[in-house]
Amino acid sequence: MLDITIIKTFFNFFKGIGELYKTNKLATILAIFSLSIIGYYNFDYVKEQIYGKKDITVEYVEKTKMIERDLRTIRLSTKASSVSIFLIHNGELTLSNLHLMKFTLLFQSSDTRNNHKFLLYKQNLAPYTDYFYDMMNDGYYLINDSNKHPDIIIRTVFGKLNTTTVLYVPLYKDGQIVGFATVSYEKATILSKKEISDIIRLFDIPQSHL
């Protein structure tokens, strides 16, 4: 609910703009333009002043529910066993101030057999840098059959996860990679270039909520 003081402030502001426009149209236009720029870069601050700061726990729960809803839609449309989002974060710090990056499974939609079975699954990024490099450069990374993959780490990890085919899609925020999404199939599944392209586009919506 807006405070009466804020309402009066807005009323007086627009009244003043109207008076200024009568005497100096150019100054009015410049004033509105300047305020628009200031408002654009301080929109979140203004919202907090008017409506109060949102509880971070409530915000996290609401965002999680939105993302999980989107992932469920993607899982059903792709007929995948599970669809997940892993976010990258700093791990330990070396003596030379090198961050040992990690990624953690934070959001997931799975079939009833595996629902949330591996939620909060955490891994170091170091053993997978080659695959991250390919994913970032090609826009995706595809493991057609983990059982036949040359990397023993891949064969071992996905054997434990009971997963055979996995499509990795990088996720970005403000131009920076913040994580990746996976579309996983228990049985070996052939994905065409068009299917891969269509799946990548499906992640535009959950990516916007990160």
Side-chain angles (χ1 to χ4, degrees):
M1 184 69 68
L2 287 176
D3 187 271
I4 189 65
T5 304
I6 296 176
I7 296 175
K8 288 181 178 179
T9 301
F10 274 104
F11 175 79
N12 292 329
F13 169 76
F14 286 110
K15 182 179 178 182
I17 288 292
E19 294 297 328
L20 179 62
Y21 185 78
K22 293 177 182 179
T23 57
N24 193 326
K25 294 182 179 180
L26 179 59
T28 305
I29 294 172
L30 291 175
I32 294 174
F33 177 76
S34 300
L35 289 170
S36 298
I37 296 297
I38 294 172
Y40 175 80
Y41 286 103
N42 294 277
F43 183 65
D44 290 334
Y45 173 78
V46 173
K47 283 198 302 183
E48 286 181 10
Q49 297 305 307
I50 295 176
Y51 299 107
K53 192 170 184 179
K54 195 168 187 178
D55 186 290
I56 57 173
T57 303
V58 173
E59 186 176 16
Y60 172 78
V61 171
E62 290 178 348
K63 183 176 292 189
T64 298
K65 296 305 291 182
M66 284 192 296
I67 294 175
E68 288 182 341
R69 177 200 63 204
D70 296 334
L71 296 186
R72 182 177 185 275
T73 300
I74 294 173
R75 178 174 63 83
L76 293 176
S77 66
T78 58
K79 298 180 180 179
S81 302
S82 68
V83 177
S84 310
I85 286 182
F86 294 76
L87 294 183
I88 300 170
H89 54 90
N90 288 337
E92 291 82 5
L93 193 66
T94 69
L95 292 178
S96 61
N97 291 323
L98 175 67
H99 288 282
L100 303 179
M101 307 299 287
K102 293 185 176 182
F103 54 87
T104 298
L105 170 56
L106 289 180
F107 309 103
Q108 185 180 59
S109 174
S110 301
D111 57 30
T112 53
R113 289 169 294 172
N114 293 314
N115 192 35
H116 291 157
K117 184 177 179 180
F118 299 103
L119 201 61
L120 299 182
Y121 175 78
K122 184 183 297 182
Q123 274 281 318
N124 288 312
L125 191 149
Y128 307 101
T129 51
D130 287 342
Y131 310 123
F132 266 81
Y133 182 83
D134 291 339
M135 178 182 70
M136 291 185 293
N137 280 278
D138 298 335
Y140 69 91
Y141 182 76
L142 177 65
I143 297 177
N144 288 302
D145 189 340
S146 60
N147 298 312
K148 299 177 181 179
H149 200 279
D151 191 333
I152 190 172
I153 295 178
I154 296 293
R155 297 199 304 272
T156 302
V157 170
F158 287 102
K160 292 179 179 179
L161 296 176
N162 194 29
T163 299
T164 304
T165 298
V166 188
L167 175 66
Y168 290 82
V169 179
L171 300 175
Y172 293 86
K173 184 171 184 177
D174 300 326
Q176 180 177 341
I177 186 167
V178 294
F180 59 92
T182 62
V183 179
S184 306
Y185 299 85
E186 289 186 5
K187 297 180 180 180
T189 303
I190 298 175
L191 295 174
S192 67
K193 290 284 188 180
K194 183 181 184 305
E195 286 175 319
I196 292 173
S197 179
D198 290 341
I199 291 173
I200 291 173
R201 282 196 293 269
L202 290 175
F203 284 99
D204 287 345
I205 295 178
Q207 185 172 230
S208 68
H209 295 149
L210 297 177

